[in-house]
Amino acid sequence: MDREQEKIQFLGVFGILKKSGNLILHWRKIFTQIFFFLITPLSFLYLSHMGISVSLFTKIMINAYMFYAEPQGTNYRTEISKVLQSELAIFILFKITYVVFFTVLALVSTAAVVYTIACIYIAKDISFKNVMKVVPKVWKRLIITFLLKFIFLFSYTIACIVVLILGVVLFASKEFLLVIFIVVFVVVYWCAFVYIALIWYLADVVSVLEDSYGMKALNKSQILMKGKMKIVLCICLVLGLCFIGVEQLFKVLVVSRDDQQLWIRICIGILCLILLSISLLFGLVAQTIVYFVCKSYHHENIDKSLLADHLGGYQWEYVPLKSKDVQLETYEP
């Protein structure tokens, strides 16, 4: 490994964030296109989902209250029941539709950003049109990795719920022990959840740039994360706080302010959309930079010409990258 490739392994949280910002600014044309055509629609979908969900859920709660307040056997109660069932069906259908579209757009955005950065670091000509040609060719790999993560985390959550129920039943008559059990359970659950999410942080990037996807990508991500877990945790906390901050701003000043003038809510909504889009783009770029930092940390060298051949193969027939061939060069804008 030459000196330039070796230096990147020493990047810390600030260094990774700075490099992410430099990349976006220096290659602003391609990232602006990705921002407006992929990231912004993703952010708009997320914020719209928040507003619509609150509206639908509020109607459901009002009708549910009216349903239980109405005496049994009345025609009005029957009518409310039908309306409530209809609203619940619409709410569930809306949630399912949102999850599908959000997942698709999120994976497309991930593939686009990862491929773009890989091309930048090997000095390969890149355009938004070429990026969008690549996305369908890595779709299967990304969706398999995503589904495996979802299935595992869903199974983990179900298992934890079962443990929680059994614990509550077991300690129901012992209030002190029940409180201790719940506190310990919550702490252990979230610590394990965060740990799992961190060790799989790079799985999507691995699925795009290497010959591994699905369980192999998850295992590879876990290997790469060794030695860099604290840095990734700090980056996730910084970007997560930005994301939550924008989300709460939108909830408080747009969704929950029916008394606010419409034009003010629209302006604040647009501001939140821009801020959220910036946070998401920055997060995807930082995630890819972390991948290359971890590769450098584990001394996995790069054959730059071979990497270029692999990336060029995306435009014709998909040729996955070997993990040993992927490494980040130090970029100086």
Side-chain angles (χ1 to χ4, degrees):
M1 184 184 297
D2 62 39
R3 186 178 178 183
E4 286 188 351
Q5 293 182 21
E6 189 175 4
K7 283 197 304 182
I8 195 171
Q9 67 177 292
F10 301 109
L11 287 178
V13 175
F14 178 76
I16 291 173
L17 295 177
K18 180 181 178 181
K19 182 172 285 290
S20 300
N22 288 341
L23 271 176
I24 294 173
L25 291 176
H26 189 78
W27 297 89
R28 53 175 115 9
K29 180 178 179 181
I30 181 67
F31 282 114
T32 297
Q33 292 172 317
I34 293 175
F35 179 86
F36 282 112
F37 291 105
L38 294 177
I39 305 298
T40 300
L42 180 65
S43 301
F44 179 80
L45 184 62
Y46 180 78
L47 294 178
S48 299
H49 156 262
M50 286 175 53
I52 296 173
S53 293
V54 170
S55 177
L56 291 176
F57 187 73
T58 300
K59 291 181 180 179
I60 290 173
M61 293 303 295
I62 292 174
N63 286 327
Y65 175 80
M66 294 174 64
F67 174 79
Y68 287 109
E70 188 71 17
Q72 294 185 6
T74 62
N75 293 332
Y76 186 62
R77 183 184 174 96
T78 303
E79 292 178 2
I80 294 178
S81 176
K82 292 180 181 179
V83 172
L84 190 58
Q85 291 175 7
S86 177
E87 290 178 342
L88 284 172
I90 293 173
F91 184 76
I92 294 173
L93 181 61
F94 169 74
K95 284 289 187 179
I96 294 174
T97 303
Y98 161 75
V99 169
V100 171
F101 279 95
F102 183 85
T103 300
V104 170
L105 201 49
L107 294 180
V108 168
S109 300
T110 299
V113 171
V114 172
Y115 178 77
T116 298
I117 293 176
C119 289
I120 288 172
Y121 278 101
I122 62 168
K124 176 181 173 63
D125 291 336
I126 184 68
S127 67
F128 184 73
K129 183 179 180 180
N130 289 337
V131 170
M132 295 311 296
K133 287 181 179 179
V134 167
V135 170
K137 298 177 182 180
V138 296
W139 171 253
K140 177 182 176 181
R141 302 165 64 83
L142 273 174
I143 196 65
I144 290 175
T145 302
F146 169 79
L147 288 175
L148 277 177
K149 288 195 293 185
F150 175 80
I151 291 171
F152 185 89
L153 291 175
F154 180 78
S155 301
Y156 167 74
T157 302
I158 294 298
C160 289
I161 291 175
V162 172
V163 172
L164 178 62
I165 294 174
L166 292 176
V168 170
V169 172
L170 182 63
F171 299 111
S173 59
K174 303 175 182 178
E175 184 176 345
F176 179 73
L177 292 179
L178 179 61
V179 172
I180 293 178
F181 168 77
I182 292 176
V183 171
V184 172
F185 173 85
V186 171
V187 172
V188 172
Y189 170 80
W190 281 110
C191 287
F193 188 90
V194 170
Y195 175 76
I196 293 170
L198 286 176
I199 64 175
W200 288 350
Y201 178 73
L202 300 177
D204 290 337
V205 183
V206 171
S207 297
V208 175
L209 291 184
E210 298 189 12
D211 58 342
S212 303
Y213 64 95
M215 188 55 67
K216 290 183 179 179
L218 299 180
N219 292 335
K220 180 65 176 180
S221 175
Q222 182 177 1
I223 293 171
L224 289 174
M225 288 297 297
K226 291 180 179 179
K228 293 294 181 180
M229 192 77 74
K230 292 181 180 179
I231 290 177
V232 173
L233 177 60
C234 291
I235 291 175
C236 289
L237 285 176
V238 171
L239 296 176
L241 288 174
C242 294
F243 184 90
I244 293 173
V246 176
E247 180 186 52
Q248 292 303 313
L249 181 68
F250 184 78
K251 281 184 178 180
V252 173
L253 299 182
V254 179
V255 177
S256 303
R257 291 295 300 271
D258 293 333
D259 58 328
Q260 187 68 271
Q261 293 183 5
L262 181 60
W263 70 271
I264 296 179
R265 295 173 65 190
I266 291 176
C267 290
I268 296 175
I270 293 174
L271 175 62
C272 291
L273 177 64
I274 296 173
L275 293 176
L276 185 61
S277 299
I278 293 173
S279 298
L280 290 177
L281 177 60
F282 206 88
L284 289 175
V285 174
Q287 183 183 31
T288 311
I289 298 299
V290 168
Y291 166 80
F292 285 116
V293 170
C294 291
K295 296 289 287 187
S296 177
Y297 178 77
H298 290 283
H299 305 289
E300 296 188 20
N301 206 354
I302 183 174
D303 186 327
K304 204 168 183 182
S305 61
L306 184 58
L307 177 57
D309 290 340
H310 280 304
L311 292 178
Y314 272 115
Q315 298 177 9
W316 304 102
E317 181 179 357
Y318 175 67
V319 181
L321 302 176
K322 302 295 183 181
S323 60
K324 64 182 180 180
D325 301 325
V326 184
Q327 177 64 50
L328 182 65
E329 295 274 1
T330 299
Y331 166 75
E332 296 295 340

